[in-house]
């Protein structure tokens, strides 16, 4: 059996997320790719991703792998997949990897990006790709607050209360809050990059939600540090919508 | 009567174009905005744009104007419009202008942009926003060929044969063919900017179509000059799809 690693770019708008959700009428990204693989390879393929993404979340470079008996070249398989997949899912690379490679277990860290469009009117061309927030945000303050999250912590306060995760300790390697210039073509965007060894359910959307509360002046200085220490989801404010979020990179 | 000038950003994917098309089941951008204005202002409003855009063509900054009896502030009207319009149409600015201002007649030039994604696989995140072309293109050659179009010419060869235009002379003020680096996040993009005092029906898509034929080696050197002189639509090759095109700026 060959072990193939694929890199996937997707627009998550039309999907229930990476994995099948019985509660949703929408299709999952995983089943859509598996169906295309089944058609091309005439095999029942099960693909393993680096991790799930939620309904409406995008990916620039999700990583997955699967085993196959097929001898098809990776170039041919990539072209056949892209020919059979809907336009909002694209395989950007395929390579054969060692049989032991596992997209999820071997992932060392993941980089997520959250984009806020911060101006007085939304964007038609970026709809479903950014979160539109019309009130002024203090980016310097958001950057300062974010620092409290760097390093190894119990992120229970930023984990969805519906999650069944027992171990809520994760390590944030990088958290960068950047402001793109207001005179840029698409208006003023605030880009928040978070790299961690793993993420809890809704963790990025909960962290960015708390940062927005801080940036708009609803949370006093030092709030993120206190929320983190409090380990209570109710302290952190609302999660931001999925549309602003994308999985940018998985590191191995 | 006040004369209001509006700047409109739209994703043209779901529309039959700026203007109503009886042959299409899709709605037009114009009627969608007029309907929202009617609802807000309780007046029958007729808006005049700088020019039509075709089905699937986008705009970063289409300009239109309309007369109204209403005394509503421009800020309030902008917020009300954006609250009533679908997400793929956004009013990015409104200002009151002199009663004589006419979006179409007063336009001095328009700038259109055509984006080609030139790599071996498409983009899920840029779907419907770029034209995906998988075969190598010689950008330097496209740039060289484009020079023949600069200035005042009869552009009959680049005008849709279905057009009823009698005067097919236009002046191209600027034509720039840029290549974005292959290592950029979204792959290798070729951006073609064309500014002219006016455009014939399908003119940009016909010109960029001929440039692609030149860039892939199907047209010999000097072809665009000859096609222009030939004044025959059949010489210029196929038009490119609407999705890669957007109206970037209207100058007054």
């Amino acid at each position: 059996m060959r072990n193939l690693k694929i890199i996937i770019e997707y627009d998550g708008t039309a999907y229930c997320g990476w994995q099948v959700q019985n509660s949703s009428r929408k299709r999952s990204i995983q089943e859509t790719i598996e169906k295309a693989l089944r058609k091309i390879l005439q095999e029942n393929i099960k693909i393993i991703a680096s991790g799930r993404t939620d309904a409406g979340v995008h990916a620039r470079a999700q990583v997955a792998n699967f085993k196959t008996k097929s001898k098809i070249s990776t170039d041919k398989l990539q072209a056949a997949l892209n020919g059979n997949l809907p336009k909002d899912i694209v395989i950007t690379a395929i390579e054969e990897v060692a049989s032991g490679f596992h997209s999820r277990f071997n992932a060392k860290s993941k980089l997520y990006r959250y984009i806020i469009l911060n101006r007085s009117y939304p964007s038609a061309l970026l709809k479903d790709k950014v979160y539109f927030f019309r009130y002024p945000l203090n980016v310097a303050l958001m950057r300062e607050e974010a620092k409290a999250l760097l390093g190894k912590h119990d992120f229970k306060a930023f984990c969805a209360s519906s999650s069944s995760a027992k171990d809520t300790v994760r390590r944030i390697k990088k958290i960068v809050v950047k402001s793109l210039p207001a005179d840029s073509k698409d208006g003023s965007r605030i880009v928040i990059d978070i790299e961690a060894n793993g993420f809890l359910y809704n963790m990025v959307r909960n962290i960015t939600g708390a940062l927005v509360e801080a940036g708009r002046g609803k949370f006093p200085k030092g709030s993120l540090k206190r929320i983190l220490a409090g380990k209570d989801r109710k302290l952190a404010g609302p999660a931001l919508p999925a549309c602003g979020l994308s999985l940018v990179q998985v590191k191995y």
Side-chain angles (χ1 to χ4, degrees), chain A residues 58 79 137 248:
Chain A
H58 315 296
L137 289 170
V248 171

Side-chain angles (χ1 to χ4, degrees), chain A residues 24-48:
Chain A
S24 175
R25 282 183 172 185
K26 291 181 176 176
R27 291 175 66 193
S28 75
I29 291 149
Q30 184 186 354
E31 69 184 303
T32 306
I33 299 171
E34 285 176 349
K35 191 182 156 197
L37 281 169
R38 199 157 53 232
K39 191 179 157 193
I40 296 161
L41 302 176
Q42 303 285 314
E43 269 181 272
N44 268 327
I45 304 279
K46 186 87 187 159
I47 60 178
I48 300 158

Side-chain angles (χ1 to χ4, degrees), chain A residues 120-141:
Chain A
S120 59
Y121 51 90
S123 167
L125 291 164
L126 296 175
K127 82 182 156 66
D128 304 324
K129 299 293 189 303
V130 297
Y131 165 55
F132 164 59
F133 187 77
R134 70 171 70 243
Y135 306 104
L137 289 170
N138 182 336
V139 177
L141 188 59

Side-chain angles (χ1 to χ4, degrees), chain A residues 160-180:
Chain A
S161 48
S162 62
S163 165
S164 58
K166 275 169 192 156
D167 177 11
T168 48
V169 174
R170 296 291 184 276
R171 191 160 67 87
I172 292 189
K173 298 177 170 187
K174 196 175 85 174
I175 179 160
V176 177
V177 183
K178 266 182 301 195
S179 180
L180 296 186

Side-chain angles (χ1 to χ4, degrees), chain A residues 68-81:
Chain A
T68 177
K69 288 177 207 145
S70 167
K71 291 185 169 66
I72 189 170
S73 80
T74 50
D75 280 359
K76 266 192 191 154
L77 180 58
Q78 184 181 2
L81 273 170

